[in-house]
Amino acid sequence: MNRQGRPTGPTTSTGEGAGPTWTGNRALALDEPLLFELNGWGRTGVDLPDAEPVTDRLGGLGRGRPIGLPGLSEPQAVRHYTRLSRKNYAIDMGLFPLGSCTMKHNPRLNEKVVSLPGFADIHPLQPVSTVQGALEVMDELTNWLSVLTGMPGVALSPKAGAHGELCGLMVIRAALEARGDARTRVLVPESAHGTNPATAALCAYDVDPIPATADGRVDVDAMIAKLGPDVAAIMLTNPNTCGLFERDIIRIAEKVHEAGGFFYCDGANFNAIVGKVRPGDLGIDAMHINLHKTFSTPHGGGGPGAGPVVFSEALAPFIPPAIVVRGPDGLSIQESVPHAQVGRMTAFHGQMGMFVRALTYMLSHGGDGLKQVAEDAVLNANYIRESLKDVMTPSFDGPCMHEVLFDDRFLKDTGVSTLDFAKALIDEGYHPMTMYFPLVVHGAMLVEPTETESKDSLDEFIGAMRALAVAAKSGDTERFASAPRFAPVSRLDETRAARSPILTWQEPEPKVAAE
């Protein structure tokens, strides 16, 4: 194609300058109204008979005006949702650096297997004799989780990480009550995930925080000082949310056990140590595993999660049903456990789709492949750390685990904040990293590249981060203050949006062309 004399890129570097269009579109980047705003009222694709009159039993609470559902043709509806899908940044579009969220590529092999009719069309109320294959998947998955963690008890049914935490603490409480030892406190380090203290409080425990040391790890001496006969458990994340391995974890476990408590580990970051370390060997009594993070589908986005919990021998007798057992007539679901004081965590047996994806991931990688998953995740994070440490400020010395933590010291006196930096990253085509978390460092930027990113994609991301760091230090504050410039919606008043949200839809004024 002859492009001589023709612009082949944006005419301005900022994308600004051109006036707003009548449609709101920017060339082929289409502005998308809500479904209710597509001007389809009064039309319908089907004719329905009038409803039979009924006696009003709503006591005056019935709707007082037409509901105003849009009547759209099929092309209108399909185009609406297709355009919306183009506005959604996803792991299939680019690197997703959210820390502690493990946004990694989901192998398409997993999707192919889970879509097989025997799995996709299964129903939880089918007779057990017709779902032997599905039960085999659950049994095999249970075995893999037990081997990888070195822990004999496995409860598959919890449907997310926080749900798994709830299951774990309920089992710990059941075990304590079984020995007549009611306790009231749960220790939670400052570097723990935010759901940990929330779960402990939900289980009616008093949450007692443990400070972090200067190198981002649990202050063991402070933890020991807090131990006592009223401590039910410690909830510790390892690797922690600073991206660091807790070097004193065995000593921590020993001290908690000496005090009569249990050791709960948040296994959200298990992808950093899978195949390398067995948590059971570290003295851990209970740990949830986010199947959707460590083994397959990325976390977030509203998709189904799965948070099975593994238990030590001391807690295994108390796990909740249902459990897959093998008998002379094949596999079946055991609905009651002899020592269980915790009832079902879910209506049925868990997220079968995630079970299939996770087992597919395990079988396709094998034991040695899973070990390499952890090694590659740690390698990628450290590659980013080493590539950016001369222009950004890693929060702690030494190598990190699967995620690298920067703080805002490199932005000092630039007039650019962590939030500004993250907004500018959107203009570079990346979802921002996790910001302002963990709380133990100021202006935190937590980056987790995962093991699925290639060196090329890491280099491109590093280039974008480096360019922004250099721009901030050179005084190019306008680039950050106006960011994001290329997003469908620019900088929002986040404080006002949080404190005064508009949660009801308002009918827009009709668009009229100028005479």
Side-chain angles (χ1 to χ4, degrees), residues 179 254 370 485:
R179 70 186 193 197
E254 290 173 347
L370 292 177
R485 296 164 294 171

Side-chain angles (χ1 to χ4, degrees), residues 277-502:
V277 177
R278 298 196 313 169
D281 297 339
L282 303 177
I284 292 167
D285 294 299
M287 184 179 83
H288 74 264
I289 302 170
N290 294 348
L291 294 184
H292 50 288
K293 293 175 64 177
T294 295
F295 297 109
S296 190
T297 319
H299 169 52
V309 188
V310 290
F311 294 97
S312 63
E313 289 187 8
L315 294 179
F318 300 93
I319 65 175
I323 300 172
V324 176
V325 295
R326 191 179 296 276
D329 298 326
L331 294 167
S332 61
I333 294 289
Q334 183 174 323
E335 297 287 352
S336 62
V337 180
H339 302 284
Q341 299 181 39
V342 179
R344 275 182 164 276
M345 299 296 296
T346 60
F348 295 106
H349 317 312
Q351 297 282 19
M352 176 54 65
M354 299 314 299
F355 296 164
V356 175
R357 288 181 176 91
L359 185 58
T360 304
Y361 188 86
M362 293 170 174
L363 294 174
S364 61
H365 281 74
D368 53 345
L370 292 177
K371 178 183 177 183
Q372 186 174 345
V373 163
E375 292 174 347
D376 289 352
V378 174
L379 176 64
N380 283 358
N382 280 283
Y383 181 63
I384 291 177
R385 184 187 184 284
E386 291 299 308
S387 300
L388 292 174
K389 69 178 184 181
D390 60 325
V391 292
M392 299 178 68
T393 43
S395 299
F396 302 106
D397 295 331
C400 60
M401 294 296 289
H402 61 299
E403 54 193 349
V404 53
L405 179 61
F406 298 100
D407 55 45
D408 61 357
R409 284 176 293 168
F410 74 100
L411 295 174
K412 184 179 180 182
D413 300 329
T414 64
V416 176
S417 68
T418 292
L419 180 64
D420 297 331
F421 196 89
K423 295 294 186 184
L425 192 60
I426 295 175
D427 281 339
E428 300 296 332
Y430 292 101
H431 189 289
M433 70 295 284
T434 295
M435 302 180 301
Y436 299 117
F437 185 82
L439 303 177
V440 293
V441 302
H442 192 273
M445 304 180 197
L446 188 61
V447 177
E448 180 173 2
T450 79
E451 80 283 0
T452 57
E453 296 297 338
S454 67
K455 182 176 181 299
D456 288 342
S457 65
L458 293 178
D459 285 338
E460 188 175 11
F461 175 72
I462 290 167
M465 295 281 280
R466 173 175 287 276
L468 292 177
V470 171
K473 292 179 179 180
S474 66
D476 185 9
T477 56
E478 177 56 28
R479 176 175 183 171
F480 296 89
S482 59
R485 296 164 294 171
F486 306 120
V489 178
S490 187
R491 188 77 69 102
L492 299 174
D493 185 340
E494 297 179 354
T495 302
R496 185 181 175 192
R499 295 182 178 177
S500 305
I502 300 174

Side-chain angles (χ1 to χ4, degrees), residues 141-143 145-146 149 151-156 308-311 319-320 322-323:
L141 178 62
T142 297
N143 182 56
L145 293 177
S146 181
T149 60
M151 301 171 78
V154 180
L156 285 182
V309 188
V310 290
F311 294 97
I319 65 175
I323 300 172

